């Protein structure tokens, strides 16, 4: 029951709780009203019985002393015919010995019979009560005349009208309370639903947002300066900020990707252009010396080596940009491809490369190849740009039970603040903010793989370390 109540909307739960409280209050109030009505009815009944008994005592006193049965009967009959006597169903008068002198119904209470059988079930005047079930109540009172007790009077009173009055009051209270509770609960539901409508709109916009939160439409914005209006405006401001950050990150990633692609394309063009010059010289040699087999063989060998080099460069470039590599597993060949891709840039900058990637370092690690290649390529290109002409760039890789670790270092002037923010910070950066090429892309890729990035500067060397946890466990096979 409690769990079902918790699952109800707040706009319905609060009015139901309020209705339950009103039911409790109404029950207590109704009980008080019925108790007060019963007290008034008992007082009215006691007063009526007292007047009846006192009137009979005055009229019957001398007659009981004389034991005049007929006069006593006649007096009782005339008293029963009066308006106040209509409630008296039966009245019996007994002498001081407890013997019945007369009764309004002699067949039920014969003359001379003991009054004890009827008097034992009767109550005194001050204890007389309407009750809730019996249609009649019996009351007993002493018959006094001139200060002397001469007998007893026992009367049976009809209280069905008083009980009917009490039942009518009960049903009126129930009906009134039910109507009031139903009206107030419905009114409370309407008011609460109207008050909580902005919260419902906010919950709907957040639940149906998908990958990005949706703003609250202007037509559904609450008016005024209340808490709900401020909450809606704050939410819309947050949505705008999230959208702006996502757009900035997207444009930044595209910019850095294009910059990295441009540098890589320039290096590849330089790498391809150099062999092309040699290949053209070889073809000229073959054309000019067709009758010199030794020269032709040498030129053909040079031509073959140049074409093989161009084939390798084209293969690695295609492999780097294949869409289906997103699902392939990192292997030793991926490191060799990265080295082949960056060598043209290193040669152009006359830089030294320290390459320490042990054979089988990634064997058994279930890491995706595409993001790791992208991380390595961006870090090495950034290190080459930082090292400058004639600088030094290096890569150290190792693996253990935790996963793959590699460090890219250079002897450049160090990582600028803007580049450090791109690599390590969580704040939103703009494409115009400057910084290292592809470093924010590196941060996002490492974070997506569940890894970590650290930066250190020591002995004139800048070192960026990346730790990538293994995805599927390392095997010994």
């Amino acid at each position: 029951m409690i769990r079902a109540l918790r699952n109800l909307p707040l706009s319905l739960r609060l009015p139901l709780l309020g209705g339950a409280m009103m039911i409790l209050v109404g029950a207590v109030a109704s009980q008080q009203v019925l108790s007060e009505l019963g007290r008034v009815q008992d007082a009215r009944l006691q007063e009526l019985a007292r007047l009846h008994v006192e009137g009979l005592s005055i009229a019957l006193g001398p007659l009981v002393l004389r034991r005049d049965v007929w006069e006593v009967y006649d007096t009782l009959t005339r008293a029963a015919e009066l308006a106040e006597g209509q409630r008296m169903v039966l009245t019996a008068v007994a002498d001081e010995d407890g013997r019945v002198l007369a009764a309004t119904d002699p067949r039920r209470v014969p003359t001379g019979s003991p009054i004890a059988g009827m008097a034992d079930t009767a109550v005194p005047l001050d204890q007389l009560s309407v009750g809730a079930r019996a249609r009649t109540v019996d009351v007993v009172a002493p018959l006094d005349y001139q200060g002397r007790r001469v007998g007893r009077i026992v009367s049976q009173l009809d209280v069905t009208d008083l009980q009917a009055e009490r039942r009518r009051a009960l049903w009126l209270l129930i009906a009134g309370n039910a109507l009031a509770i139903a009206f107030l609960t419905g009114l409370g539901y309407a008011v609460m639903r109207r008050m909580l409508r902005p919260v419902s709109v906010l919950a709907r916009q957040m639940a149906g947002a998908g990958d990005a939160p949706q703003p609250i439409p202007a037509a559904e914005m609450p008016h005024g300066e209340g808490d709900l209006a401020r909450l809606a405006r704050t939410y819309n401001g947050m949505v705008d900020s999230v959208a702006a950050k996502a757009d900035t990150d997207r444009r930044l990633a595209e910019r850095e990707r294009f910059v990295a692609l441009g540098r890589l394309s320039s290096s590849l063009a330089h790498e391809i252009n150099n062999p092309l010059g040699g290949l053209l010289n070889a073809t000229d040699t073959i054309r000019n010396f067709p009758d010199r087999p030794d020269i032709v063989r040498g030129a053909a060998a040079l031509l073959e080596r140049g074409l093989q080099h161009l084939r390798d460069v084209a293969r690695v470039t295609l492999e780097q940009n294949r869409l289906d590599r997103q699902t392939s597993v990192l292997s030793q060949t991926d490191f060799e491809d990265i080295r082949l891709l960056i060598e043209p840039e290193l040669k152009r900058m006359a830089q030294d490369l320290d390459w320490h990637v042990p054979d089988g370092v990634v064997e058994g690690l279930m890491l995706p190849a595409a993001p790791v290649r992208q991380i390595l390529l961006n870090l090495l290109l950034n290190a080459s740009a930082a090292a400058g002409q004639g600088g030094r760039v290096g890569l150290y890789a190792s693996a253990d039970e935790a996963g793959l670790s590699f460090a890219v270092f250079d002897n450049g002037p160090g990582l600028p603040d803007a580049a450090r923010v791109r690599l390590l910070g969580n704040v939103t950066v703009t494409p115009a903010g400057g910084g290292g090429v592809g470093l924010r892309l590196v941060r996002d890729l490492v974070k997506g793989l569940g890894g970590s990035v650290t930066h250190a500067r020591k002995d004139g060397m800048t070192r960026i370390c990346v730790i990538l946890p293994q995805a599927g466990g390392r095997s010994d096979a």
Side-chain angles (χ1 to χ4, degrees):
M1 180 66 181
I2 296 178
R3 181 177 299 177
L5 184 62
R6 290 177 179 174
N7 293 332
L8 293 176
L10 187 61
S11 58
L12 183 59
R13 195 188 319 165
L14 290 179
L16 287 179
L17 291 176
M21 294 182 63
M22 285 189 288
I23 291 175
L24 179 61
V25 172
V28 174
S30 299
Q31 182 63 33
Q32 294 294 327
V33 171
L34 291 176
S35 297
E36 183 64 20
L37 177 62
R39 188 185 66 80
V40 172
Q41 287 181 338
D42 291 346
R44 285 167 50 194
L45 186 63
Q46 291 174 8
E47 182 65 20
L48 178 64
R50 182 176 291 106
L51 292 175
H52 177 70
V53 169
E54 289 177 353
L56 289 178
S57 296
I58 296 173
L60 294 176
L63 302 178
V64 172
L65 283 176
R66 295 197 306 268
R67 298 182 182 275
D68 191 342
V69 175
W70 290 109
E71 287 294 333
V72 171
Y73 176 76
D74 182 62
T75 301
L76 291 177
T77 302
R78 284 186 284 110
E81 294 175 353
L82 298 177
E84 62 271 16
Q86 296 300 317
R87 187 177 297 278
M88 307 302 169
V89 178
L90 174 66
T91 301
V93 177
D95 58 16
E96 57 184 351
D97 296 330
R99 294 290 177 177
V100 176
L101 292 176
T104 55
D105 189 352
R107 288 174 297 183
R108 290 181 57 188
V109 185
T111 300
S113 63
I115 196 66
M118 185 176 179
D120 289 344
T121 60
V123 296
L125 283 172
D126 56 352
Q127 298 179 13
L128 187 60
S129 177
V130 175
R133 296 182 180 179
R135 299 172 59 88
T136 59
V137 293
D138 296 337
V139 59
V140 59
L143 177 59
D144 296 332
Y145 180 70
Q146 294 182 350
R148 175 187 172 188
R149 181 161 299 180
V150 296
R152 285 187 294 175
I153 300 176
V154 179
S155 293
Q156 190 175 77
L157 289 74
D158 184 3
V159 293
T160 54
D161 60 331
L162 298 178
Q163 292 176 349
E165 181 183 10
R166 187 176 296 186
R167 286 192 296 270
R168 284 195 302 271
L170 174 61
W171 284 112
L172 286 175
L173 287 172
I174 292 175
N177 288 338
L179 290 175
I181 291 171
F183 173 75
L184 292 177
T185 302
L187 181 62
Y189 172 72
V191 172
M192 289 299 301
R193 186 172 183 180
R194 182 177 180 85
M195 291 177 60
L196 295 177
R197 183 181 178 185
V199 179
S200 301
V201 172
L202 177 62
R204 184 182 71 245
Q205 295 299 104
M206 296 178 68
D211 295 334
Q214 302 297 318
I216 299 175
E220 297 184 346
M221 286 287 291
H223 303 288
E225 297 295 330
D227 293 337
L228 293 178
R230 290 196 298 271
L231 175 63
R233 289 194 294 270
T234 302
Y235 171 76
N236 276 1
M238 180 194 71
V239 171
D240 294 340
S241 299
V242 170
K245 180 180 182 299
D247 182 66
T248 300
D249 289 344
R250 178 185 57 79
R251 290 187 290 115
L252 176 63
E254 290 178 355
R255 175 183 178 273
E256 292 185 341
R257 185 178 183 88
F258 288 148
V259 170
L261 183 60
R263 291 187 60 189
L264 180 60
S265 300
S266 177
S267 299
L268 290 175
H270 181 269
E271 182 68 12
I272 293 173
N273 187 56
N274 289 337
L276 283 178
L279 293 176
L280 291 174
N281 289 333
T283 56
D284 288 339
T285 300
I286 293 173
R287 185 182 296 111
N288 294 328
F289 303 98
D291 54 348
R292 299 280 302 272
D294 53 338
I295 296 178
V296 172
R297 283 194 297 270
L302 177 61
L303 186 62
E304 182 181 8
R305 290 195 300 270
L307 291 174
Q308 288 177 349
H309 179 74
L310 293 178
R311 181 198 61 189
D312 293 340
V313 171
R315 179 187 62 80
V316 173
T317 304
L318 291 174
E319 188 72 12
Q320 177 68 21
N321 293 278
R322 276 177 54 191
L323 295 178
D324 59 355
R325 283 203 60 82
Q326 194 68 27
T327 58
S328 62
V329 178
L330 184 68
S331 65
Q332 194 73 25
T333 306
D334 293 300
F335 284 94
E336 298 302 326
D337 291 345
I338 293 295
R339 182 172 184 174
L340 184 60
L341 284 172
I342 65 169
E343 277 183 349
E345 179 70 10
L346 299 180
K347 290 179 180 179
R348 185 179 67 85
M349 299 293 291
Q351 294 172 344
D352 295 329
L353 176 63
D354 293 335
W355 189 269
H356 297 279
V357 181
D359 293 338
V361 67
V362 294
E363 185 178 352
L365 292 178
M366 304 300 293
L367 291 172
V372 178
R373 288 168 64 106
Q374 192 72 18
I375 292 170
L376 286 168
L377 184 61
N378 278 277
L379 289 179
L380 288 169
L381 287 176
N382 195 75
S384 175
Q389 193 70 30
R392 182 183 173 195
V393 178
L395 171 66
Y396 286 87
S398 63
D400 54 23
E401 295 298 330
L404 175 66
S405 303
F406 56 84
V408 177
F409 64 88
D410 64 81
N411 62 346
L415 203 61
D417 291 339
R420 189 180 299 110
V421 170
R422 290 175 183 267
L423 179 65
L424 304 175
N426 292 320
V427 298
T428 302
V429 295
T430 62
V437 175
L439 292 182
R440 177 47 66 98
L441 182 60
V442 169
R443 172 191 172 276
D444 293 341
L445 290 174
V446 172
K447 185 177 179 181
L449 294 174
S452 61
V453 184
T454 58
H455 164 265
R457 177 75 179 176
K458 184 178 181 182
D459 299 333
M461 301 293 289
T462 300
R463 181 183 297 267
I464 297 176
C465 298
V466 176
I467 300 177
L468 299 177
Q470 54 180 327
R474 186 178 178 89
S475 66
D476 297 332

